[in-house]
Amino acid sequence: MSEFVNVPEFFSSVYLVDFSPSLCKVARERFARLGWANVKVVCEDARKFRLEDYENGLDQGERRSSVTTSSYFNQKRPETGVADLITMSYSLSMIPDYYSVIDSMVSLLSPDGLIGVVDFYAQSETDVKFRNYTGGSCGRHVNFFSRSFWRSWFDLDKVSLEPGRRDYLEYRFGSVLTANSRNYTLGAIPYYVWLGCHNRPFSSSSLPHEIIERIDAFATESPYILPANKQRETSALTRAVERTAPEIRSKAFDAAIQNLSANLPLPSFFYQNHHWRIYYDDRLKKHTQFNDEYIYAFTWEDSRVDRELLKIGPDDVILAITSAGDNILSYATQGPARIHAIDLNPAQNHLLELKVASYTALPYQDFWNIFGEGKHADFRSLLITKLSPHLSSRAFQYWLSNSHIFTSPRSRGLYDTGGSKYAIRVFRWVSRIFNIRKAVQEVVSAASLKEQRKTWHSKIRPALLSRIVSGFVVSSEKFLWAALGVPKNQLAMIEADHAAVTTNAAKRTRAHAIWHYMVNTLDPVIEHTHITADNPYYLVCLQGKFSPRCHPDYLSLASHKILSQPGAFDGLRIHTDELEEVIARITPGTLTVAVIMDSMDWFDQSISKEGSTSTNSPAAGQQIRKLNRALKMGGKVLLRSAALTPWYIEQFKAHGFMGQRVGHRLPGRCIDRVNMYASCWVCTKVENLRPPTPVGDEAVSLHCVASLENLRI
C-alpha cells in the first residue's frame, strides 16, 4: 500500500488485525521502525473486532475490564461503520468461520467505504453462470484438474479454496470491480482481486425505488431524470404516451426488480463511479457469439461529414451505433444533452469505455500513445492505477486480459486487432507477394496528391485490384463478414446494383461486383484525398497508427481539453443490446438524432409469392416505427448504405419520414474521405404514428412498481 500512498499522511488511522501474536509482534516492530504512529496492531479475533472501541480512545485493557463477554456479544452491531477501507490479503481462505467474519465487515465499513480482497481460489463456471451480480466471469473458470490439484495442495496447509468463501463475499456486498488471474511464476495458481462496497448504492439512506428510478431514467430518457419543477414542461406527445401506452422501463430496471425481490445484490453496473455503461446480461448467446472480440478497432464513418449534416447542438439527444466509438466521441465534443451509444458486441463498448476512461484520467500524451500510436509500454499499470475507477467491472476485466495489445513487443498495436485486422493483414500479405511494401511507404509519405496518384497507379493498384485478389480473397463471403463486417444481405445489395449497370451477363458475378465496388471505393480516394495529410481512415490501414498531422478529430489536443473536463460524459449512456431493443425502451418523443450507420442494410428483404423482391420487410418496418416513436417531430435519422437507392427508404416514407439522399457515390467521385458506402441519407420525421394500444403487460408493469415500493436492500 505504501507504494501508492503516503500511509502516515493519507490515513488518519490504520488498524491491522490478526489472531497470531507472533505476527502482530513482527508488525509492531516494523511500524515502530518506520515511525508510523497512526498504525495500530490489534491481536484479536476478527469476528470480535469493533472499530468504535479503539476510535473512542479505549485501549485493550480498559475495554476488556469495562465490558463483559456476555454484554459484549449482546450489543447490537450497527448496520454500517466508519472504516473507509477494509482489505484482506490472502486471509479469507485461512479463516475457518468465514461467514461471521464477512458479516462483521458489513458493520465496520462506512456507507461510502470500499472493501478489497485478494486471495487464491478454485471454482467452476457452473457455480456462477446464473448470477448477474458478480461483476463478470472473465477468466474465472478453473478446469477440473486444476481445481482438484490446487484444493488438495492448499489443504495440506489448512488453506481452503472452496468457492463458498468468495460466493458469500459477493452475496453480502456489491461488486465494484473484480479480476481473475493466474500466478504463472508459482505454477499458474488461480487468484482473484475483488473490490466491493455496501450493496445499497448511492447512499445508505437511499430506498430501493429511488435507486432504481434513477438508473432507469439514465437509460430511458424518463422525465424522472428532470427536476420536479421541470416535469410539467414535458411535451404534449410524451404526456399523451404516458396516458395511453404501457410504462417504459429499461432492462436495468427489470434486472434490479429480480435481484431485490430475491434479496440479492444489484448487478455490478449499479455500483460504478460513473453510470455510462447500462446493465446487460453477458451470459446471453447474442453477446457471447462475438467470442470477446470487437470487429472494428476504428470507425469507418467520416465524422467531418456527420458534423456538417447533423449540426449538433446543446438540446440534442442522440442515439448512435458505437462501432469503435470514434464518432460517439466526436459528437460529445459538440456538447449534446445526451448520447445513447448502442452495440450488440460487448467488446465494441469495452473499447468505447476505455476511451472515455482515458479522457477522464490520463494526460494527453498517454491518451495519444494508446489511441494514436496504438501502443503504450505502461498500459497495464495505467489501467490498474488510473483507469480502473472509471471502468465497469466487465470492461476492466476485458482490458486487463488484453493488455498485451498495447504492451507486448510482438504486438503491432491496437489497430492490428479486431475483425478488421484480417483486411489489413490481407493487404500486408498482398504487398509482400507483389513486392510493393516500399510503394506503400511512398504513399504514406507522399508530399502531394500527384506523388500519391503516381505510386498508386504504377505500383499498388495493379496488385491490390488484381482479379486474383478480388476473385479468391475479397469476394469471399466469409472474408467480407470477418474482416469488413459485410453481411450477406448487404453483399446482395452490392451485387444487385452492379447487375443493374452491367450489360455483359458474363460479368454479373460476385467477384466482378466486388471488384467494381473496390475500384469505385479506392480510386476516388487516391485521386481526391491526400492520405498522409487528411485521410486518417486509410493512413491507419497503411501504417498501423495515426500521425500527429493526420488523425480523427477525437484524438486532437483540442478534443482532449473538452472531454477531459469534469462532467464531460455525464450525458453518455452505453447500451449493449440490439438497436431495436434500446429504441423500444426510450421514452417517446425524446430523441432528436439517430445515427444508424449501415445497419438497415442487414435486414432481410421480403420475397413475394412470384419470387421478386419487395420493399415491404416486416422486421425493417418494425424498427422504423420504433424510431418514429422515439424521435421528436423534425428528428433526423442519418444512415449510410452500400446501395445507391436502398429498398427500405420507401418504408421510411411509409412510416412518417421524408427521405433525402444527401450524398451518393459515382465513378471517379468521393462521397466522403472513407468512400466505403454508395449513398448517405437523412430521413426526417414529419408525422407521428399512433402509439400502440396498451395490453396486459401494463398491469404487470404497474404491479412490479407497486411491489418495488415495499422492497428493502
Side-chain angles (χ1 to χ4, degrees):
M1 187 178 293
S2 61
E3 294 182 7
F4 301 98
V5 297
N6 188 333
V7 174
E9 296 181 4
F10 190 84
F11 297 103
S12 60
S13 299
V14 177
Y15 293 90
L16 192 153
V17 182
D18 201 286
F19 206 30
S20 169
S22 59
L23 290 177
C24 288
K25 180 181 177 182
V26 172
R28 289 191 186 98
E29 293 173 351
R30 178 176 295 175
F31 296 133
R33 185 170 63 253
L34 292 171
W36 292 358
N38 65 324
V39 180
K40 303 173 180 64
V41 179
V42 180
C43 187
E44 188 176 20
D45 187 335
R47 296 172 297 180
K48 299 180 181 179
F49 178 77
R50 297 192 182 198
L51 191 59
E52 61 269 22
D53 294 344
Y54 297 91
E55 285 294 298
N56 288 335
L58 298 175
D59 62 29
Q60 194 174 28
E62 291 175 334
R63 180 174 58 81
R64 289 193 172 179
S65 63
S66 61
V67 181
T68 64
T69 302
S70 59
S71 65
Y72 186 96
F73 286 104
N74 286 334
Q75 296 177 32
K76 183 180 178 180
R77 304 197 69 159
E79 292 185 3
T80 61
V82 296
D84 298 305
L85 176 65
I86 299 174
T87 64
M88 299 184 72
S89 180
Y90 298 102
S91 55
L92 185 59
S93 58
M94 298 182 181
I95 300 173
D97 185 16
Y98 60 89
Y99 290 105
S100 56
V101 172
I102 293 174
D103 288 341
S104 70
M105 291 191 295
V106 176
S107 60
L108 287 173
L109 191 65
S110 70
D112 298 320
L114 291 173
I115 175 171
V117 178
V118 57
D119 214 330
F120 301 117
Y121 82 102
Q123 190 170 31
S124 168
E125 63 182 354
T126 306
D127 298 335
V128 297
K129 67 180 182 180
F130 57 90
R131 301 174 191 159
N132 66 1
Y133 58 86
T134 61
S137 57
C138 178
R140 184 157 180 168
H141 178 69
V142 180
N143 65 53
F144 172 78
F145 296 103
S146 294
R147 291 200 308 271
S148 302
F149 174 78
W150 289 119
R151 285 177 183 173
S152 301
W153 179 272
F154 278 94
D155 277 346
L156 297 176
D157 288 327
K158 296 183 173 55
V159 176
S160 177
L161 302 192
E162 62 184 81
R165 297 169 185 269
R166 184 178 180 183
D167 292 344
Y168 191 62
L169 185 70
E170 292 172 330
Y171 168 73
R172 292 292 277 137
F173 293 92
S175 295
V176 178
L177 283 180
T178 182
N180 308 289
S181 191
R182 308 291 184 268
N183 187 326
Y184 292 101
T185 304
L186 299 177
I189 305 176
Y191 72 95
Y192 68 92
V193 180
W194 177 86
L195 191 67
C197 63
H198 281 292
N199 58 18
R200 184 178 296 169
F202 303 126
S203 71
S204 59
S205 61
S206 295
L207 297 175
H209 71 274
E210 295 171 344
I211 296 168
I212 307 310
E213 292 287 3
R214 179 175 172 180
I215 292 293
D216 195 45
F218 289 159
T220 63
E221 292 298 319
S222 164
Y224 287 115
I225 204 169
L226 300 174
N229 63 334
K230 290 290 186 180
Q231 292 188 24
R232 304 187 190 96
E233 302 175 14
T234 54
S235 68
L237 173 62
T238 300
R239 291 197 300 272
V241 171
E242 288 173 353
R243 291 193 300 267
T244 61
E247 191 167 15
I248 296 173
R249 292 297 187 179
S250 68
K251 290 186 178 180
F253 179 89
D254 296 340
I257 288 289
Q258 294 174 5
N259 285 32
L260 290 173
S261 62
N263 198 29
L264 295 172
L266 296 172
S268 66
F269 297 93
F270 288 83
Y271 303 105
Q272 308 303 314
N273 286 327
H274 310 282
H275 294 289
W276 302 323
R277 192 73 176 263
I278 302 299
Y279 165 81
Y280 72 98
D281 189 345
D282 62 348
R283 303 162 298 174
L284 298 180
K285 188 176 181 180
K286 66 181 182 181
H287 300 313
T288 59
Q289 65 173 318
F290 298 101
N291 298 317
D292 282 334
E293 183 179 42
Y294 45 84
I295 296 176
Y296 306 105
F298 56 95
T299 300
W300 273 99
E301 278 75 24
D302 194 336
S303 59
R304 183 185 297 168
V305 172
D306 285 10
R307 181 185 291 267
E308 294 171 354
L309 291 174
L310 298 176
K311 295 179 174 58
I312 294 169
D315 296 327
D316 279 313
V317 178
I318 303 169
L319 179 145
I321 295 176
T322 303
S323 186
D326 303 359
N327 285 18
I328 300 293
L329 300 173
S330 176
Y331 305 150
T333 62
Q334 300 167 59
R338 183 95 69 250
I339 301 175
H340 293 276
I342 305 169
D343 210 294
L344 185 59
N345 186 340
Q348 295 288 173
N349 283 335
H350 295 336
L351 181 56
L352 174 58
E353 260 201 271
L354 182 66
K355 292 177 178 179
V356 171
S358 298
Y359 274 118
T360 306
L362 300 182
Y364 179 69
Q365 190 56 54
D366 286 327
F367 181 82
W368 170 261
N369 288 344
I370 294 173
F371 301 110
E373 301 286 339
K375 298 273 286 185
H376 198 307
D378 296 327
F379 174 78
R380 183 180 174 87
S381 175
L382 291 173
L383 177 67
I384 295 172
T385 61
K386 301 291 185 182
L387 300 175
S388 59
H390 309 288
L391 290 170
S392 67
S393 184
R394 285 165 176 78
F396 174 70
Q397 288 181 12
Y398 181 85
W399 291 113
L400 189 66
S401 62
N402 288 281
S403 59
H404 62 276
I405 291 172
F406 303 97
T407 60
S408 174
R410 293 178 294 179
S411 170
R412 292 181 180 269
L414 175 63
Y415 300 110
D416 192 54
T417 61
S420 56
K421 70 175 179 282
Y422 299 112
I424 296 174
R425 290 178 180 179
V426 164
F427 176 73
R428 196 181 300 140
W429 170 77
V430 170
S431 67
R432 289 196 186 102
I433 295 295
F434 291 90
N435 195 27
I436 56 172
R437 283 183 291 179
K438 185 177 179 181
V440 172
Q441 293 305 312
E442 290 176 5
V443 168
V444 169
S445 59
S448 65
L449 271 175
K450 184 178 180 180
E451 289 184 25
Q452 177 178 285
R453 293 166 183 161
K454 181 180 178 182
T455 304
W456 167 257
H457 287 288
S458 63
K459 299 177 182 179
I460 299 178
R461 190 183 191 280
L464 187 60
L465 296 181
S466 66
R467 300 292 185 181
I468 297 176
V469 175
S470 175
F472 292 97
V473 181
V474 181
S475 61
S476 163
E477 186 173 320
K478 183 177 292 187
F479 172 83
L480 288 169
W481 168 245
L484 301 176
V486 178
K488 62 178 182 179
N489 290 335
Q490 192 172 59
L491 180 58
M493 297 171 76
I494 294 173
E495 293 183 64
D497 272 6
H498 174 69
V501 297
T502 303
T503 57
N504 188 342
K507 292 185 177 181
R508 292 178 181 175
T509 63
R510 174 178 296 175
H512 199 276
I514 295 300
W515 179 86
H516 192 263
Y517 200 88
M518 288 174 60
V519 168
N520 287 338
T521 298
L522 298 177
D523 275 349
V525 166
I526 297 298
E527 292 293 330
H528 301 290
T529 70
H530 191 189
I531 290 176
T532 190
D534 193 38
N535 198 325
Y537 307 100
Y538 287 89
L539 179 67
V540 72
C541 292
L542 295 176
Q543 68 175 19
K545 60 182 180 181
F546 297 107
S547 72
R549 182 185 181 189
C550 182
H551 50 72
D553 54 4
Y554 85 92
L555 280 173
S556 69
L557 179 59
S559 294
H560 187 270
K561 288 180 179 179
I562 295 171
L563 297 180
S564 60
Q565 295 296 315
F569 291 104
D570 284 352
L572 176 64
R573 306 290 174 256
I574 304 175
H575 305 259
T576 309
D577 211 338
E578 292 100 338
L579 184 66
E580 184 177 325
E581 286 286 323
V582 177
I583 297 171
R585 293 171 184 262
I586 294 284
T587 300
T590 54
L591 295 181
T592 61
V593 175
V595 183
I596 60 176
M597 296 185 176
D598 63 334
S599 62
M600 295 300 299
D601 283 3
W602 295 41
F603 282 99
D604 290 323
Q605 190 172 357
S606 296
I607 306 298
S608 66
K609 293 181 179 179
E610 293 77 19
S612 60
T613 57
S614 168
T615 59
N616 181 25
S617 168
Q622 183 177 2
Q623 178 161 300
I624 294 170
R625 285 193 296 272
K626 290 180 178 178
L627 279 168
N628 181 291
R629 182 172 163 80
L631 283 163
K632 290 183 177 180
M633 186 65 70
K636 301 175 182 177
V637 178
L638 174 63
L639 62 89
R640 291 176 168 88
S641 175
L644 280 171
T645 306
W647 55 269
Y648 46 77
I649 295 298
E650 292 301 319
Q651 284 201 267
F652 271 97
K653 294 178 180 178
H655 291 92
F657 289 91
M658 178 181 68
Q660 179 185 6
R661 189 166 64 183
V662 293
H664 63 286
R665 192 178 69 179
L666 295 175
R669 286 176 49 187
C670 278
I671 189 173
D672 52 34
R673 290 177 294 174
V674 177
N675 203 38
M676 189 64 69
Y677 299 102
S679 63
C680 180
W681 295 76
V682 171
C683 296
T684 305
K685 178 177 174 179
V686 294
E687 179 186 355
N688 282 321
L689 300 183
R690 184 179 178 182
T693 303
V695 292
D697 290 343
E698 182 178 17
V700 176
S701 176
L702 294 175
H703 173 72
C704 288
V705 175
S707 301
L708 182 60
E709 299 291 337
N710 301 319
L711 291 174
R712 295 294 183 271
I713 296 179

